[in-house]
Amino acid sequence: MRARKIVEALRKPPSQRTTLGRLVGMIGLGLALLAGGLYGFIVYPLVERTNSLEFCISCHEMRTTVYEEYRQTPHFRNKSGTRASCPDCHVPKEFLPRLVAKVRASKDVWHSMMGTIDTREKFEAKRWEMANRVWEMMERTDSATCRSCHEFSYMNYEEQDRSARRKHKAAEEEGKTCIECHKGLVHDYPKEPEEAKQADAEQEPGEHG
């Protein structure tokens, strides 16, 4: 008797509600598969390809300026044999912040194509502006990329010289972030334009006054 009821139920045409539910489910499944395919075959490989030292220095603006400066630092070569490359310092590890960083960095490709900084002179003229954008971003994120390798709680202060030990302890107590003290550590510190100096000087009386 029960088997007959099951057969009769299967023979009945599906109700409108059931059909709509199946349609929504199929559309949802299709969109999920499409999103997964786009991510797996396009987005992820593209993000990973652009997240390499080789890609970063593929523009001669980077290769002949900041890359050469970076090569002279312990971030490039050191006694422990570890290396922090461009993405380690400039690209967040989390996926969504990484995508945001990639979108922001796309303007660098545009400026490279337009020749905005294609000579040493043009690059140096823009260096102060570009460096400040990076510094501001690092301050907003509490130097998150720096902290992926360096963290106050990991430091053995006894192994540091007196000056570094004093400054790091003070920075930890005062809640400072890495970039506040380490500007110009890997890349040359840019020359501040005269107009920027003048603007700073004009702000000082108001700030202390």
Side-chain angles (χ1 to χ4, degrees):
M1 191 64 132
R2 182 173 295 180
R4 182 181 297 176
K5 288 183 178 180
I6 293 175
V7 171
E8 290 176 354
L10 291 173
R11 286 178 176 176
K12 288 181 180 179
S15 66
Q16 185 177 359
R17 181 179 299 176
T18 304
T19 302
L20 180 61
R22 288 179 178 176
L23 179 61
V24 171
M26 291 176 65
I27 292 175
L29 178 60
L31 290 175
L33 291 174
L34 178 62
L38 289 174
Y39 173 76
F41 292 100
I42 297 177
V43 177
Y44 182 79
L46 183 61
V47 169
E48 290 304 305
R49 176 67 185 87
T50 60
N51 207 42
S52 65
L53 175 64
E54 292 72 20
F55 179 84
C56 293
I57 63 172
S58 60
C59 298
H60 78 91
E61 293 94 326
M62 299 295 104
R63 189 171 59 253
T64 59
T65 54
V66 291
Y67 175 60
E68 288 303 318
E69 296 162 4
Y70 154 70
R71 281 170 52 88
Q72 309 306 315
T73 70
H75 280 82
F76 181 79
R77 179 170 296 158
N78 53 70
K79 62 183 180 181
S80 65
T82 58
R83 176 175 295 176
S85 64
C86 307
D88 294 315
C89 297
H90 292 280
V91 182
K93 301 295 185 292
E94 297 79 9
F95 182 71
L96 288 179
R98 178 182 297 190
L99 283 183
V100 172
K102 293 297 180 182
V103 171
R104 288 177 176 170
S106 63
K107 68 180 181 298
D108 296 336
V109 178
W110 171 254
H111 284 295
S112 179
M113 293 169 60
M114 295 298 294
T116 308
I117 51 175
D118 60 348
T119 67
R120 168 72 70 169
E121 292 73 19
K122 291 179 183 179
F123 186 91
E124 293 300 334
K126 290 284 187 180
R127 186 188 277 250
W128 176 259
E129 178 185 342
M130 294 188 293
N132 273 274
R133 281 204 301 266
V134 175
W135 295 339
E136 289 168 5
M137 181 273 294
M138 286 185 165
E139 287 187 12
R140 285 197 305 270
T141 61
D142 192 21
S143 303
T145 53
C146 303
R147 292 179 185 277
S148 64
C149 291
H150 307 282
E151 183 59 67
F152 288 125
S153 60
Y154 303 160
M155 292 182 181
N156 184 350
Y157 289 129
E158 299 305 318
E159 295 294 325
Q160 299 178 359
D161 62 47
R162 182 181 301 176
S163 176
R165 182 166 59 248
R166 176 177 56 81
K167 291 178 180 178
H168 282 144
K169 284 184 176 180
E172 183 177 14
E173 292 170 359
E174 296 168 15
K176 288 186 175 181
T177 193
C178 311
I179 196 61
E180 290 184 65
C181 299
H182 291 289
K183 296 173 182 175
L185 179 70
V186 175
H187 305 300
D188 292 349
Y189 194 91
K191 183 179 180 181
E192 185 177 3
E194 290 301 322
E195 55 267 26
K197 291 181 182 179
Q198 185 176 355
D200 290 340
E202 291 174 353
Q203 289 178 0
E204 285 181 3
E207 291 176 352
H208 300 287

